Amino acid sequence: REHRDADAVHQFRVGLRRLRAAASLFGDLISDAESRKVRDELRWMNHSLGPIRDLDVLIARLRAAPDHEQSLAAAQRRRDEACGQLLARLDEPRFRRATLLAAAWIEAGRWLTLGDPALCERRDEPVESRAARELRKRRKRVLKRARRLEDLDPEARHQVRIEIKKLRYGVEFFGRLFSGAKAKSRRKRILAATEQLQEILGELNDLAIGG
């Protein structure tokens, strides 16, 4: 609030995305109405940060380019407006309620106490089994979406990046469940590869958005 720092906005958005990605790893456990409400609110909170983040990326590109002083000044004015809108959004009752609702849901949501037999069985599943299954599924999604990557349009390419990001967050979230030198080495390789791919595809997406 005080410094309106671009990195703070970015980390705020990353934190929300990581929370949403973690929730998606347990999608079949959190399909009740309360959980859907929380996830919808987290999505709304994340979207609130989108406009200012896009402008921060544009400003960084303009600063690195020669003879863009006029465009840079215009982008900074738009960024000031977007920042004001974001600060107002943070003060909205909905934003505050959503924050408290998410915190309460994580610690004591109905998904923890619902007595449906199938749900109870899934809750009791060893986390290692779930982790292995979810990571395999996400890896397959990346490979499927990345086929003929060079022929994809920007939107389809962006979807590949989203799947890569989900895989990366999943590995970060579950990775330390698997001990041993081999598992540790494999985790590092996967994280390095997904981070590099995410960065490259992110740059392509920024170029597509920025025109």
Side-chain angles (χ1 to χ4, degrees):
R1 285 175 175 273
E2 181 178 351
H3 299 289
R4 303 190 174 199
D5 182 66
D7 188 59
V9 174
H10 177 57
Q11 292 304 322
F12 190 2
R13 198 177 190 203
V14 168
L16 283 168
R17 284 184 169 180
R18 287 180 184 274
L19 178 55
R20 293 176 61 205
S24 72
L25 293 167
F26 298 90
D28 59 337
L29 290 177
I30 53 174
S31 58
D32 58 283
E34 181 189 43
S35 297
R36 291 195 299 272
K37 171 66 173 177
V38 171
R39 297 180 73 179
D40 286 344
E41 291 299 275
L42 291 174
R43 186 182 303 110
W44 171 77
M45 293 168 75
N46 187 64
H47 287 171
S48 299
L49 298 165
I52 189 171
R53 175 58 185 163
D54 291 342
L55 285 167
D56 284 334
V57 171
L58 175 61
I59 288 170
R61 288 179 54 209
L62 290 173
R63 284 174 175 165
D67 303 324
H68 280 78
E69 289 81 3
Q70 187 173 359
S71 297
L72 177 59
Q76 288 175 326
R77 286 194 297 271
R78 290 168 56 197
R79 204 266 184 189
D80 289 340
E81 294 174 0
C83 191
Q85 293 169 357
L86 174 59
L87 292 176
R89 176 64 55 85
L90 295 178
D91 285 331
E92 289 183 11
R94 180 181 177 182
F95 203 101
R96 296 181 179 184
R97 283 197 302 267
T99 303
L100 294 173
L101 179 64
W105 169 75
I106 291 169
E107 297 294 335
R110 294 200 68 220
W111 65 277
L112 289 166
T113 58
L114 289 170
D116 177 78
L119 182 62
C120 291
E121 183 178 353
R122 290 194 295 270
R123 276 204 306 260
D124 291 338
E125 179 188 17
V127 69
E128 293 85 359
S129 299
R130 171 176 290 272
R133 184 177 66 253
E134 288 293 334
L135 293 178
R136 282 196 302 267
K137 182 169 66 176
R138 293 188 175 210
R139 179 177 178 273
K140 288 180 180 178
R141 285 179 181 173
V142 169
L143 294 175
K144 181 178 180 179
R145 286 191 176 271
R147 291 173 185 165
R148 300 181 65 181
L149 183 62
E150 67 277 8
D151 297 327
L152 299 180
D153 60 34
E155 178 58 30
R157 199 167 57 227
H158 180 57
Q159 292 304 315
V160 175
R161 180 174 179 251
I162 289 174
E163 293 298 338
I164 290 172
K165 187 183 300 184
K166 288 181 178 180
L167 174 60
R168 177 187 172 192
Y169 286 167
V171 171
E172 290 176 342
F173 191 80
F174 282 138
R176 297 187 184 278
L177 290 172
F178 305 100
S179 59
K182 184 177 180 180
K184 183 177 180 180
S185 176
R186 188 180 185 188
R187 181 173 69 247
K188 285 184 176 180
R189 291 198 308 271
I190 292 174
L191 288 176
T194 52
E195 183 175 2
Q196 183 180 25
L197 288 169
Q198 188 178 329
E199 182 176 346
I200 293 170
L201 291 172
E203 291 176 356
L204 291 172
N205 186 60
D206 291 340
L207 289 171
I209 291 175

